[in-house]
Amino acid sequence: MITRRRGLALAASSGLLVLPGLSARAEAAKKKIAVVVKIGGIPWFNAMEVGIKRAGAETGTDAWMVGPTQADAAQQVAAIEDLIARKVDVIGVVPNDADALVPVFQRAHAAGIKIITHESPLQQGNDWDLEFTTPAADGVRHFEALAQAMGGVGQYMIIVGSLTVPQHRMRADAAVALQKAKYPKMELVGGRFGVGESLDDSYRTVLDQIRAHPKLKGVLAFGSQGPIGGARAVDDRGKIGKIFVVGPFSPGQGAKYIRSGAITVGYIWNPLLAGETIVRIGALILSGKSVTNGMVLPEVGAVTVDPTTRVIMANKIQPITKETIDSLVALGL
């Protein structure tokens, strides 16, 4: 005869029964990984959130995303302060201002929290940074596409997400260096505009530059909203085929512009994969395992690890063109 006490024990050991309070305690015992992105509610980071949650479920961690209402360094600092108070185990960050985050990273480390950044390869105060391409390679890749569209001749402008985002600065630096070395008949006008995380500001800035430079022929735009705002301005002014917009963007958001030709091309990595990989690396660190060169991560394969710069490099770049747009949108990007 099986007694009630023995029956409960057998059921629990076989996994058929969850004792009252056990599930809640298991949830409470999960390691916590929170990722602070540049801004919440836009397609790029919506996709990243899907990856964060998916990897959290697969790694048995409690993983979630924090999205400030504006692309603002102070809001990111406040979000990280809150996560320190909540005693999370790992904080992932896509910085708006790399330098502004260093003091709060120090406070996180003092609390025993690991820091993983993304899109910030020269970041100070982090444990690791995840990249999918080098900024220089991406700047060259996009500028070559712009130069080909412009026939290597004419005026162009540059938009970056923010003047304080190191990775965008490096992309712009590499693009300008290539232009000077290889395309002397092209001319940068207007300096650099740090409006690429705002669609409206990018739109107004490109309109202003079209008015200031009637012969403007190219827009090189970094930042998640830069190419979209630039394309809207080009479309509104009837300049498709006369002014070429090149830059990375969320395929779903920019699909109509790539189909119309208002955007010529962009190259991206999948933000969903970025979210997954940040959580994978966090879970790896929390398990006590080392981050090593050549290690294989499920979503991105073998990665290159530089312990000096603390950069983990995964090579997963894909073009956004009229030929690829439908498949990328179908992925939810």
Side-chain angles (χ1 to χ4, degrees):
M1 179 178 179
I2 299 176
T3 64
R4 174 177 170 77
R5 177 177 295 177
R6 186 169 177 240
L8 288 172
L10 287 171
S13 65
S14 66
L16 298 176
L17 175 68
V18 177
L19 296 174
L22 185 60
S23 177
R25 287 197 295 274
E27 286 295 318
K30 281 184 175 180
K31 296 292 186 181
K32 297 179 176 63
I33 302 175
V35 181
V36 182
V37 299
K38 291 179 179 176
I39 185 170
I42 63 174
W44 185 270
F45 291 117
N46 290 344
M48 184 173 288
E49 185 174 25
V50 172
I52 290 166
K53 291 181 176 179
R54 181 184 296 176
E58 293 179 359
T59 59
T61 58
D62 183 8
W64 72 96
M65 189 180 88
V66 178
T69 57
Q70 296 180 7
D72 176 71
Q75 288 199 16
Q76 284 197 315
V77 170
I80 294 168
E81 294 279 16
D82 178 64
L83 294 171
I84 294 171
R86 293 172 65 178
K87 302 183 186 302
V88 302
D89 299 286
V90 174
I91 299 176
V93 187
V94 189
N96 282 308
D97 186 335
D99 293 338
L101 294 175
V102 175
V104 77
F105 283 179
Q106 292 172 340
R107 292 193 286 278
H109 275 146
I113 299 169
K114 300 295 185 183
I115 300 290
I116 302 170
T117 54
H118 175 48
E119 297 186 44
S120 197
L122 296 179
Q123 180 68 54
Q124 297 299 307
N126 61 349
D127 291 281
W128 291 102
D129 178 73
L130 171 67
E131 300 296 329
F132 283 75
T133 182
T134 67
D138 206 51
V140 166
R141 182 184 296 118
H142 280 93
F143 189 83
E144 278 287 6
L146 181 67
Q148 293 305 311
M150 293 173 58
V153 178
Q155 296 179 330
Y156 71 98
M157 61 177 288
I158 293 179
I159 290 175
V160 292
S162 165
L163 297 179
T164 57
V165 176
Q167 197 186 61
H168 290 188
R169 286 204 308 264
M170 288 185 272
R171 280 172 164 78
D173 289 344
V176 173
L178 176 65
Q179 180 258 303
K180 291 180 178 177
K182 188 174 178 181
Y183 299 101
K185 295 183 180 180
M186 293 178 69
E187 177 192 4
L188 175 64
V189 296
R192 297 176 191 179
F193 302 91
V195 295
E197 299 299 347
S198 167
L199 194 157
D200 290 339
D201 290 346
S202 297
Y203 171 75
R204 285 191 289 267
T205 299
V206 173
L207 288 182
D208 289 343
Q209 292 306 300
I210 291 174
R211 283 191 288 268
H213 304 284
K215 294 183 180 179
L216 186 72
K217 196 174 175 182
V219 179
L220 181 63
F222 299 110
S224 61
Q225 302 300 297
I228 306 298
R232 180 180 291 181
V234 167
D235 190 18
D236 283 358
R237 290 296 177 271
K239 296 289 186 179
I240 294 176
K242 299 176 182 176
I243 298 178
F244 303 94
V245 178
V246 170
F249 60 94
S250 294
Q253 189 183 20
K256 71 174 183 179
Y257 294 119
I258 202 88
R259 291 178 181 129
S260 71
I263 297 177
T264 301
V265 67
Y267 298 91
I268 63 165
W269 59 92
N270 187 328
L272 190 152
L273 292 184
E276 286 183 324
T277 306
I278 290 170
V279 174
R280 294 277 184 197
I281 295 168
L284 182 75
I285 294 172
L286 293 175
S287 72
K289 296 179 180 177
S290 299
V291 174
T292 56
N293 190 40
M295 68 179 185
V296 177
L297 297 173
E299 290 80 13
V300 296
V303 296
T304 302
V305 175
D306 185 339
T308 304
T309 59
R310 305 182 307 285
V311 170
I312 301 169
M313 181 69 68
N315 188 10
K316 283 283 182 178
I317 297 297
Q318 52 192 128
I320 316 173
T321 64
K322 291 179 180 177
E323 290 72 29
T324 64
I325 189 67
D326 290 341
S327 61
L328 293 171
V329 171
L331 291 173
L333 297 179

